Coordinates of all heavy atoms in Angstrom, one line a residue:
M1 N -108.3 33.7 -6.0 CA -109.3 32.7 -6.3 C -108.7 31.4 -6.2 O -107.8 31.0 -7.0 CB -109.9 32.9 -7.7 CG -111.0 32.0 -8.0 SD -111.5 32.1 -9.7 CE -112.7 33.4 -9.6
A2 N -109.1 30.5 -5.3 CA -108.6 29.2 -5.1 C -109.0 28.2 -6.2 O -110.1 28.3 -6.7 CB -109.0 28.6 -3.7
G3 N -108.1 27.3 -6.6 CA -108.4 26.3 -7.5 C -108.4 26.7 -8.9 O -108.8 26.0 -9.9
R4 N -107.9 27.9 -9.3 CA -107.9 28.4 -10.6 C -106.6 27.7 -11.3 O -105.6 27.7 -10.8 CB -107.7 29.9 -10.6 CG -107.9 30.4 -12.0 CD -107.9 32.0 -11.9 NE -107.8 32.5 -13.3 CZ -108.8 33.2 -13.9 NH1 -109.9 33.4 -13.2 NH2 -108.6 33.6 -15.1
L5 N -106.8 27.3 -12.6 CA -105.7 26.7 -13.3 C -104.8 27.8 -13.9 O -105.2 28.9 -14.2 CB -106.3 25.9 -14.5 CG -107.1 24.7 -14.2 CD1 -107.7 24.1 -15.4 CD2 -106.3 23.6 -13.5
L6 N -103.5 27.5 -14.0 CA -102.6 28.4 -14.5 C -102.6 28.4 -16.0 O -102.3 29.4 -16.6 CB -101.1 28.0 -14.0 CG -100.9 28.1 -12.5 CD1 -99.5 27.7 -12.1 CD2 -101.2 29.6 -12.0
A7 N -102.9 27.2 -16.7 CA -102.9 27.2 -18.1 C -103.8 25.9 -18.5 O -104.0 25.0 -17.7 CB -101.6 26.9 -18.6
N8 N -104.3 26.0 -19.7 CA -105.1 24.9 -20.2 C -104.4 24.4 -21.5 O -104.0 25.1 -22.3 CB -106.5 25.3 -20.7 CG -107.4 25.7 -19.5 OD1 -107.3 25.0 -18.4 ND2 -108.2 26.7 -19.6
L9 N -104.4 23.0 -21.6 CA -103.9 22.4 -22.9 C -105.0 22.6 -23.9 O -106.1 22.4 -23.7 CB -103.6 20.9 -22.6 CG -102.4 20.5 -21.8 CD1 -102.3 19.0 -21.7 CD2 -101.1 21.1 -22.5
Q10 N -104.5 22.9 -25.1 CA -105.4 23.2 -26.2 C -105.8 21.9 -26.9 O -105.0 20.9 -26.8 CB -104.9 24.2 -27.2 CG -104.8 25.6 -26.7 CD -104.2 26.5 -27.7 OE1 -103.5 26.1 -28.6 NE2 -104.6 27.8 -27.6
K11 N -106.9 21.8 -27.6 CA -107.2 20.7 -28.4 C -106.2 20.4 -29.5 O -105.6 21.3 -30.0 CB -108.6 21.0 -29.1 CG -109.4 19.8 -29.4 CD -110.8 20.3 -29.9 CE -111.8 19.2 -29.7 NZ -113.1 19.6 -30.1
G12 N -105.8 19.2 -29.7 CA -104.8 18.8 -30.7 C -103.5 18.6 -30.1 O -102.5 18.2 -30.7
T13 N -103.3 18.8 -28.8 CA -102.0 18.5 -28.1 C -101.8 17.0 -28.2 O -102.7 16.3 -27.8 CB -102.1 19.0 -26.7 OG1 -102.2 20.5 -26.6 CG2 -100.8 18.6 -25.9
S14 N -100.6 16.6 -28.5 CA -100.4 15.2 -28.6 C -98.9 14.9 -28.3 O -98.0 15.6 -28.4 CB -100.7 14.7 -30.1 OG -99.9 15.3 -31.0
F15 N -98.8 13.6 -27.9 CA -97.5 13.1 -27.6 C -97.3 11.7 -28.2 O -98.2 10.9 -28.3 CB -97.3 12.9 -26.0 CG -97.5 14.1 -25.2 CD1 -98.7 14.5 -24.8 CD2 -96.4 14.9 -25.0 CE1 -98.9 15.7 -24.1 CE2 -96.5 16.2 -24.3 CZ -97.8 16.5 -23.8
V16 N -96.0 11.4 -28.7 CA -95.8 10.1 -29.4 C -94.4 9.6 -28.7 O -93.5 10.4 -28.7 CB -95.7 10.2 -30.9 CG1 -95.2 8.9 -31.5 CG2 -97.0 10.6 -31.4
F17 N -94.4 8.4 -28.3 CA -93.1 7.8 -27.8 C -93.0 6.5 -28.4 O -93.9 5.7 -28.5 CB -93.2 7.7 -26.3 CG -93.4 8.9 -25.5 CD1 -94.7 9.3 -25.1 CD2 -92.3 9.8 -25.3 CE1 -94.8 10.5 -24.4 CE2 -92.5 11.0 -24.7 CZ -93.8 11.3 -24.2
E18 N -91.7 6.2 -28.9 CA -91.4 4.8 -29.5 C -90.2 4.2 -28.8 O -89.4 5.0 -28.3 CB -91.2 4.9 -31.0 CG -92.3 5.4 -31.8 CD -92.0 5.5 -33.2 OE1 -90.9 5.2 -33.7 OE2 -92.9 6.0 -34.0
Q19 N -90.2 2.9 -28.7 CA -89.1 2.2 -28.0 C -88.7 1.1 -28.9 O -89.4 0.6 -29.8 CB -89.6 1.6 -26.7 CG -90.0 2.6 -25.7 CD -90.5 1.9 -24.4 OE1 -91.0 0.8 -24.4 NE2 -90.3 2.6 -23.3
A20 N -87.5 0.6 -28.7 CA -86.9 -0.5 -29.4 C -86.2 -1.5 -28.4 O -85.7 -1.1 -27.4 CB -85.9 -0.1 -30.4
F21 N -86.3 -2.8 -28.7 CA -85.6 -3.8 -27.9 C -84.2 -3.9 -28.3 O -83.8 -4.4 -29.4 CB -86.3 -5.2 -28.1 CG -86.1 -6.1 -27.0 CD1 -86.3 -5.9 -25.7 CD2 -85.7 -7.4 -27.4 CE1 -86.1 -6.8 -24.7 CE2 -85.4 -8.4 -26.4 CZ -85.7 -8.1 -25.1
V22 N -83.3 -3.4 -27.5 CA -81.9 -3.2 -27.8 C -81.1 -4.4 -27.2 O -81.2 -4.8 -26.1 CB -81.3 -1.8 -27.2 CG1 -79.9 -1.7 -27.5 CG2 -82.2 -0.6 -27.8
N23 N -80.2 -4.9 -28.1 CA -79.3 -6.0 -27.8 C -80.1 -7.2 -27.2 O -79.5 -8.0 -26.4 CB -78.2 -5.6 -26.8 CG -77.3 -4.6 -27.4 OD1 -77.0 -4.6 -28.5 ND2 -76.7 -3.7 -26.5
N24 N -81.3 -7.4 -27.6 CA -82.1 -8.5 -27.0 C -82.2 -8.5 -25.5 O -82.2 -9.5 -24.9 CB -81.7 -9.8 -27.6 CG -82.1 -10.0 -29.0 OD1 -83.1 -9.5 -29.4 ND2 -81.3 -10.8 -29.7
E25 N -82.0 -7.3 -24.9 CA -82.0 -7.2 -23.4 C -83.0 -6.3 -22.8 O -83.6 -6.6 -21.8 CB -80.5 -6.8 -23.0 CG -79.5 -7.8 -23.3 CD -78.2 -7.2 -22.9 OE1 -77.8 -6.1 -23.1 OE2 -77.4 -8.1 -22.3
V26 N -83.1 -5.1 -23.3 CA -83.9 -4.0 -22.7 C -84.6 -3.2 -23.7 O -84.1 -2.9 -24.8 CB -82.9 -3.2 -21.7 CG1 -81.9 -2.5 -22.6 CG2 -83.7 -2.3 -20.9
W27 N -85.8 -2.6 -23.3 CA -86.5 -1.7 -24.1 C -86.0 -0.3 -23.8 O -86.0 0.1 -22.6 CB -88.0 -1.8 -23.8 CG -88.6 -3.0 -24.4 CD1 -88.8 -4.1 -23.7 CD2 -89.1 -3.2 -25.7 NE1 -89.4 -5.1 -24.6 CE2 -89.6 -4.5 -25.8 CE3 -89.2 -2.4 -26.9 CZ2 -90.2 -5.0 -26.9 CZ3 -89.8 -2.8 -28.0 CH2 -90.2 -4.1 -28.1
L28 N -85.6 0.4 -24.8 CA -85.1 1.8 -24.6 C -85.7 2.8 -25.6 O -86.1 2.3 -26.6 CB -83.5 1.9 -24.8 CG -82.7 1.1 -23.8 CD1 -81.2 1.1 -24.3 CD2 -82.8 1.7 -22.5
P29 N -85.9 4.0 -25.2 CA -86.6 5.0 -26.1 C -85.8 5.2 -27.4 O -84.5 5.3 -27.3 CB -86.7 6.3 -25.3 CG -85.7 6.1 -24.2 CD -85.5 4.7 -23.9
T30 N -86.5 5.3 -28.5 CA -85.8 5.7 -29.8 C -86.3 7.0 -30.4 O -85.6 7.6 -31.2 CB -86.0 4.5 -30.8 OG1 -87.4 4.3 -31.0 CG2 -85.3 3.3 -30.4
Y31 N -87.5 7.4 -29.9 CA -88.2 8.5 -30.6 C -89.2 9.1 -29.7 O -89.9 8.4 -28.9 CB -88.9 8.0 -31.8 CG -89.6 9.1 -32.7 CD1 -88.9 9.9 -33.5 CD2 -90.9 9.3 -32.6 CE1 -89.6 10.9 -34.2 CE2 -91.6 10.2 -33.3 CZ -90.9 11.0 -34.1 OH -91.6 12.0 -34.9
G32 N -89.2 10.5 -29.6 CA -90.2 11.1 -28.8 C -90.7 12.3 -29.6 O -89.9 13.1 -30.2
E33 N -92.0 12.6 -29.6 CA -92.5 13.7 -30.3 C -93.6 14.4 -29.5 O -94.4 13.7 -28.9 CB -93.1 13.3 -31.6 CG -93.6 14.3 -32.5 CD -94.1 13.8 -33.9 OE1 -93.7 12.6 -34.3 OE2 -94.9 14.4 -34.5
A34 N -93.6 15.7 -29.4 CA -94.7 16.4 -28.6 C -95.1 17.6 -29.4 O -94.3 18.4 -29.9 CB -94.1 16.8 -27.3
H35 N -96.5 17.8 -29.6 CA -97.1 19.0 -30.2 C -98.0 19.5 -29.1 O -99.0 18.9 -28.7 CB -97.8 18.6 -31.4 CG -97.0 18.0 -32.5 ND1 -96.1 18.7 -33.3 CD2 -96.8 16.6 -32.8 CE1 -95.5 17.8 -34.1 NE2 -95.9 16.6 -33.8
I36 N -97.6 20.7 -28.6 CA -98.3 21.2 -27.4 C -98.8 22.6 -27.7 O -98.1 23.4 -28.3 CB -97.3 21.3 -26.2 CG1 -96.6 20.0 -25.9 CG2 -98.0 21.9 -25.0 CD1 -95.5 20.0 -25.0
G37 N -100.0 22.8 -27.3 CA -100.7 24.1 -27.3 C -101.2 24.4 -26.0 O -101.9 23.7 -25.3
V38 N -100.8 25.6 -25.4 CA -101.2 26.0 -24.1 C -101.9 27.4 -24.1 O -101.4 28.2 -24.9 CB -100.0 26.1 -23.1 CG1 -100.4 26.5 -21.7 CG2 -99.3 24.7 -23.1
R39 N -103.0 27.5 -23.4 CA -103.6 28.8 -23.4 C -103.7 29.2 -21.9 O -104.0 28.5 -21.0 CB -105.1 28.7 -23.9 CG -105.8 30.0 -23.7 CD -106.4 30.7 -24.9 NE -106.1 30.3 -26.2 CZ -105.5 31.1 -27.1 NH1 -105.0 32.2 -26.7 NH2 -105.3 30.7 -28.3
F40 N -103.3 30.5 -21.6 CA -103.3 31.1 -20.3 C -104.5 31.9 -20.0 O -105.2 32.4 -21.0 CB -102.0 31.9 -20.1 CG -100.7 31.2 -20.2 CD1 -100.0 31.2 -21.5 CD2 -100.2 30.4 -19.2 CE1 -98.9 30.4 -21.6 CE2 -99.1 29.7 -19.4 CZ -98.4 29.6 -20.6
P41 N -104.9 32.1 -18.7 CA -106.1 32.8 -18.5 C -106.2 34.2 -19.0 O -107.2 34.8 -19.3 CB -106.1 32.9 -16.9 CG -105.3 31.7 -16.5 CD -104.3 31.5 -17.6
A42 N -105.0 34.8 -19.2 CA -105.0 36.2 -19.8 C -105.3 36.3 -21.3 O -105.3 37.3 -21.9 CB -103.6 36.9 -19.6
G43 N -105.5 35.0 -21.9 CA -105.8 35.0 -23.3 C -104.6 34.8 -24.2 O -104.8 34.4 -25.4
K44 N -103.5 34.8 -23.6 CA -102.2 34.5 -24.4 C -102.1 33.0 -24.6 O -102.5 32.2 -23.7 CB -101.0 35.1 -23.7 CG -101.0 36.5 -23.5 CD -100.4 37.2 -24.7 CE -100.3 38.7 -24.5 NZ -99.8 39.4 -25.6
G45 N -101.4 32.6 -25.7 CA -101.2 31.1 -25.9 C -99.8 30.9 -26.4 O -99.2 31.8 -27.0
I46 N -99.3 29.6 -26.3 CA -98.1 29.2 -26.8 C -98.3 27.9 -27.5 O -99.0 27.0 -27.1 CB -97.1 29.0 -25.7 CG1 -96.7 30.3 -24.9 CG2 -95.8 28.4 -26.2 CD1 -95.9 30.2 -23.7
K47 N -97.6 27.7 -28.6 CA -97.6 26.4 -29.4 C -96.1 26.0 -29.5 O -95.3 26.8 -29.9 CB -98.3 26.6 -30.8 CG -99.8 26.7 -30.6 CD -100.5 26.6 -32.0 CE -102.0 26.6 -31.7 NZ -102.7 26.4 -33.0
A48 N -95.9 24.7 -29.3 CA -94.5 24.3 -29.5 C -94.5 22.8 -30.0 O -95.4 22.1 -29.7 CB -93.8 24.2 -28.1
S49 N -93.6 22.5 -30.9 CA -93.4 21.1 -31.4 C -91.9 20.7 -31.1 O -91.0 21.4 -31.4 CB -93.7 21.1 -32.9 OG -95.1 21.3 -33.1
V50 N -91.8 19.5 -30.6 CA -90.5 19.0 -30.2 C -90.3 17.6 -30.7 O -91.2 16.8 -30.4 CB -90.2 19.1 -28.7 CG1 -88.9 18.5 -28.4 CG2 -90.4 20.5 -28.2
V51 N -89.3 17.3 -31.4 CA -89.0 15.9 -31.8 C -87.6 15.5 -31.3 O -86.6 16.3 -31.5 CB -89.0 15.8 -33.4 CG1 -88.6 14.4 -33.8 CG2 -90.4 16.1 -33.9
T52 N -87.5 14.4 -30.6 CA -86.2 13.9 -30.1 C -86.0 12.5 -30.6 O -86.8 11.6 -30.5 CB -86.2 14.0 -28.6 OG1 -86.6 15.3 -28.2 CG2 -84.9 13.6 -28.0
R53 N -84.8 12.2 -31.1 CA -84.4 10.9 -31.5 C -83.3 10.4 -30.7 O -82.3 11.2 -30.4 CB -84.0 10.9 -33.0 CG -85.1 11.2 -33.9 CD -84.7 11.0 -35.4 NE -85.8 11.4 -36.3 CZ -86.8 10.7 -36.7 NH1 -86.9 9.5 -36.3 NH2 -87.7 11.2 -37.5
Y54 N -83.3 9.2 -30.2 CA -82.3 8.6 -29.4 C -81.6 7.4 -30.2 O -82.3 6.6 -30.8 CB -82.8 8.0 -28.2 CG -83.6 9.0 -27.3 CD1 -85.0 9.1 -27.4 CD2 -82.9 9.7 -26.3 CE1 -85.7 10.0 -26.6 CE2 -83.6 10.6 -25.6 CZ -85.0 10.8 -25.7 OH -85.7 11.7 -25.0
S55 N -80.3 7.4 -30.3 CA -79.6 6.3 -31.0 C -78.2 6.1 -30.5 O -77.8 6.9 -29.6 CB -79.6 6.6 -32.5 OG -78.8 7.8 -32.7
G56 N -77.5 5.1 -31.0 CA -76.1 4.9 -30.6 C -76.0 4.3 -29.2 O -74.9 4.6 -28.6
Y57 N -77.0 3.6 -28.7 CA -76.8 3.0 -27.4 C -75.6 2.1 -27.4 O -75.4 1.3 -28.3 CB -78.1 2.3 -27.0 CG -79.3 3.2 -26.7 CD1 -80.4 3.2 -27.5 CD2 -79.2 4.0 -25.6 CE1 -81.5 4.0 -27.2 CE2 -80.3 4.8 -25.2 CZ -81.4 4.8 -26.1 OH -82.5 5.6 -25.8
K58 N -74.9 2.1 -26.3 CA -73.7 1.2 -26.1 C -73.8 0.5 -24.8 O -74.3 1.1 -23.8 CB -72.4 2.1 -26.1 CG -72.1 2.7 -27.5 CD -70.8 3.4 -27.5 CE -70.3 3.9 -28.7 NZ -71.0 4.3 -29.8
K59 N -73.4 -0.7 -24.8 CA -73.4 -1.5 -23.5 C -72.1 -1.4 -22.8 O -71.1 -1.3 -23.4 CB -73.6 -3.0 -23.9 CG -73.8 -3.9 -22.7 CD -74.1 -5.3 -23.2 CE -74.2 -6.2 -22.0 NZ -74.6 -7.6 -22.4
F60 N -72.1 -1.2 -21.5 CA -70.9 -1.2 -20.7 C -71.1 -1.9 -19.4 O -72.3 -2.1 -19.0 CB -70.5 0.3 -20.5 CG -71.4 1.1 -19.7 CD1 -71.3 1.2 -18.4 CD2 -72.5 1.7 -20.4 CE1 -72.2 2.0 -17.7 CE2 -73.4 2.5 -19.7 CZ -73.2 2.6 -18.3
N61 N -70.0 -2.3 -18.8 CA -70.1 -3.0 -17.5 C -69.4 -2.1 -16.5 O -68.4 -1.5 -16.8 CB -69.5 -4.4 -17.6 CG -70.2 -5.3 -18.5 OD1 -71.5 -5.4 -18.4 ND2 -69.5 -6.0 -19.4
V62 N -69.9 -2.2 -15.3 CA -69.3 -1.5 -14.2 C -69.2 -2.4 -13.0 O -70.2 -3.1 -12.7 CB -70.1 -0.2 -13.8 CG1 -69.5 0.5 -12.6 CG2 -70.2 0.7 -15.0
E63 N -68.1 -2.4 -12.3 CA -67.9 -3.2 -11.0 C -67.9 -2.2 -9.9 O -67.2 -1.1 -10.0 CB -66.6 -4.0 -11.0 CG -66.8 -5.4 -11.6 CD -65.6 -6.2 -11.4 OE1 -65.1 -6.2 -10.3 OE2 -65.2 -6.9 -12.4
T64 N -68.6 -2.5 -8.9 CA -68.7 -1.6 -7.7 C -68.4 -2.4 -6.4 O -68.9 -3.5 -6.3 CB -70.0 -0.9 -7.6 OG1 -70.3 -0.2 -8.8 CG2 -70.0 0.1 -6.4
L65 N -67.6 -1.9 -5.6 CA -67.3 -2.5 -4.3 C -67.7 -1.6 -3.1 O -67.2 -0.4 -3.1 CB -65.9 -2.9 -4.2 CG -65.4 -3.5 -2.8 CD1 -66.1 -4.8 -2.6 CD2 -63.9 -3.7 -2.8
S66 N -68.6 -2.0 -2.4 CA -69.1 -1.1 -1.2 C -68.6 -1.8 0.1 O -68.8 -3.0 0.3 CB -70.6 -0.9 -1.2 OG -71.0 -0.3 -2.4
T67 N -68.0 -1.0 1.0 CA -67.7 -1.5 2.3 C -68.2 -0.6 3.4 O -68.3 0.6 3.1 CB -66.1 -1.6 2.4 OG1 -65.6 -0.4 2.2 CG2 -65.5 -2.6 1.4
I68 N -68.5 -1.2 4.5 CA -69.1 -0.4 5.6 C -68.1 -0.7 6.8 O -67.8 -1.8 7.2 CB -70.5 -0.9 6.0 CG1 -71.4 -0.7 4.9 CG2 -70.9 -0.2 7.2 CD1 -72.8 -1.2 5.1
E69 N -67.5 0.5 7.3 CA -66.6 0.4 8.4 C -67.3 0.7 9.7 O -68.4 1.2 9.7 CB -65.5 1.4 8.2 CG -64.6 1.1 7.0 CD -63.5 2.2 6.8 OE1 -63.3 3.0 7.7 OE2 -62.8 2.1 5.8
K70 N -66.7 0.2 10.7 CA -67.2 0.5 12.1 C -67.2 2.0 12.3 O -66.3 2.7 11.9 CB -66.3 -0.2 13.1 CG -66.9 -0.3 14.5 CD -66.0 -1.1 15.4 CE -66.6 -1.2 16.8 NZ -65.7 -2.0 17.6
P71 N -68.2 2.5 12.9 CA -68.3 4.0 13.1 C -67.1 4.5 14.0 O -66.7 3.7 14.9 CB -69.6 4.2 13.9 CG -70.4 3.0 13.6 CD -69.4 1.9 13.4
K72 N -66.7 5.6 13.8 CA -65.6 6.3 14.6 C -66.1 6.7 15.9 O -67.3 7.1 16.0 CB -65.0 7.5 13.9 CG -64.6 7.2 12.4 CD -63.1 7.1 12.4 CE -62.7 6.9 10.9 NZ -61.5 6.3 10.7
R73 N -65.4 6.5 17.0 CA -65.9 6.9 18.3 C -65.5 8.4 18.5 O -64.5 8.9 18.1 CB -65.2 6.1 19.4 CG -65.6 4.6 19.4 CD -65.2 4.0 20.7 NE -65.9 2.8 20.9 CZ -67.0 2.6 21.7 NH1 -67.4 3.6 22.4 NH2 -67.5 1.5 21.8
R74 N -66.5 9.0 19.1 CA -66.2 10.5 19.5 C -65.4 10.6 20.7 O -65.6 9.8 21.7 CB -67.6 11.1 19.7 CG -67.5 12.6 20.0 CD -68.8 13.3 20.2 NE -69.6 13.4 19.0 CZ -69.5 14.3 18.1 NH1 -68.7 15.2 18.2 NH2 -70.4 14.3 17.0
N75 N -64.5 11.5 20.7 CA -63.7 11.8 21.9 C -64.6 12.4 23.0 O -65.3 13.3 22.8 CB -62.6 12.9 21.5 CG -61.7 13.2 22.6 OD1 -61.9 12.8 23.8 ND2 -60.6 13.9 22.3
P76 N -64.6 11.7 24.2 CA -65.6 12.2 25.2 C -65.3 13.6 25.6 O -66.3 14.3 26.1 CB -65.2 11.3 26.4 CG -64.4 10.2 25.9 CD -63.8 10.7 24.6
S77 N -64.2 14.2 25.4 CA -63.9 15.6 25.8 C -64.3 16.5 24.7 O -64.2 17.7 24.8 CB -62.5 15.8 26.2 OG -61.6 15.5 25.1
A78 N -64.6 16.0 23.5 CA -65.0 16.9 22.4 C -66.4 17.6 22.5 O -67.2 17.1 23.2 CB -65.0 16.0 21.1
D79 N -66.5 18.7 21.9 CA -67.8 19.4 21.9 C -68.8 18.7 21.2 O -68.7 18.5 19.9 CB -67.5 20.8 21.4 CG -68.8 21.7 21.4 OD1 -69.9 21.2 21.8 OD2 -68.6 22.9 21.1
P80 N -69.9 18.2 21.8 CA -70.9 17.4 21.0 C -71.7 18.2 19.9 O -72.3 17.6 19.1 CB -71.9 17.0 22.1 CG -71.7 17.8 23.2 CD -70.3 18.4 23.1
T81 N -71.6 19.6 19.9 CA -72.3 20.4 18.9 C -71.5 20.5 17.6 O -72.0 20.9 16.7 CB -72.6 21.8 19.5 OG1 -71.4 22.4 19.8 CG2 -73.5 21.7 20.7
K82 N -70.2 20.1 17.7 CA -69.4 20.2 16.5 C -69.4 18.9 15.7 O -69.5 17.9 16.4 CB -67.9 20.5 16.9 CG -67.7 21.9 17.4 CD -66.3 22.3 17.6 CE -66.2 23.7 18.1 NZ -64.8 24.1 18.3
P83 N -69.3 18.9 14.4 CA -69.3 17.7 13.6 C -68.1 16.8 13.9 O -67.0 17.3 14.3 CB -69.3 18.1 12.2 CG -69.2 19.7 12.2 CD -69.2 20.1 13.6
L84 N -68.3 15.6 13.7 CA -67.2 14.5 14.0 C -66.1 14.7 12.9 O -66.4 14.8 11.7 CB -67.8 13.1 13.9 CG -67.0 12.0 14.3 CD1 -66.4 12.1 15.7 CD2 -67.7 10.7 14.1
D85 N -64.9 14.7 13.3 CA -63.8 14.8 12.3 C -63.5 13.4 11.9 O -63.0 12.6 12.7 CB -62.6 15.5 13.0 CG -61.4 15.6 12.1 OD1 -61.6 15.6 10.8 OD2 -60.2 15.9 12.5
I86 N -63.7 13.1 10.6 CA -63.5 11.7 10.1 C -62.3 11.6 9.2 O -62.2 10.7 8.4 CB -64.8 11.2 9.4 CG1 -65.2 12.1 8.3 CG2 -65.9 11.0 10.4 CD1 -66.3 11.6 7.4
R87 N -61.4 12.5 9.3 CA -60.2 12.4 8.4 C -59.4 11.3 8.7 O -59.2 10.7 9.7 CB -59.4 13.7 8.5 CG -59.9 14.8 7.7 CD -59.0 16.0 7.7 NE -59.6 16.9 8.7 CZ -59.0 17.8 9.3 NH1 -57.7 18.0 9.1 NH2 -59.5 18.5 10.2

């Protein structure tokens, strides 16, 4: 049967997310809560509650250097079906 749902969310399913402005720079998650009820077509159901807390954010700096080199030339006598050896 086309278009049939695999599961339905039950009444009372809810989600809560909280954020905080960290280091006066960026909003980051601090708390997440989910209360989920699912019912399957066979009549079976599942209920789950999950709470997650985020803390201890630390600031760090990273330096990255990217360079692009000229492409390597293929040896004219090499087999074109084999990958280029770039060692």
Side-chain angles (χ1 to χ4, degrees):
M1 180 189 276
R4 187 172 170 114
L5 293 175
L6 297 177
N8 290 325
L9 287 178
Q10 292 182 335
K11 209 173 202 176
T13 295
S14 64
F15 301 91
V16 176
F17 300 100
E18 294 181 4
Q19 296 178 332
F21 199 52
V22 178
N23 294 332
N24 287 329
E25 294 179 317
V26 64
W27 288 94
L28 294 173
T30 57
Y31 179 81
E33 182 176 341
H35 301 283
I36 304 168
V38 179
R39 174 125 350 247
F40 298 99
K44 299 271 184 185
I46 297 173
K47 288 188 178 184
S49 292
V50 178
V51 174
T52 305
R53 293 185 187 274
Y54 303 92
S55 63
Y57 287 112
K58 293 185 176 20
K59 185 175 178 178
F60 62 95
N61 293 314
V62 176
E63 274 190 42
T64 304
L65 175 64
S66 296
T67 58
I68 300 175
E69 294 181 8
K70 190 173 180 180
K72 307 257 184 200
R73 291 192 165 262
R74 183 180 290 276
N75 181 348
S77 63
D79 182 355
T81 61
K82 291 188 179 177
L84 187 61
D85 184 17
I86 58 173
R87 281 185 262 156

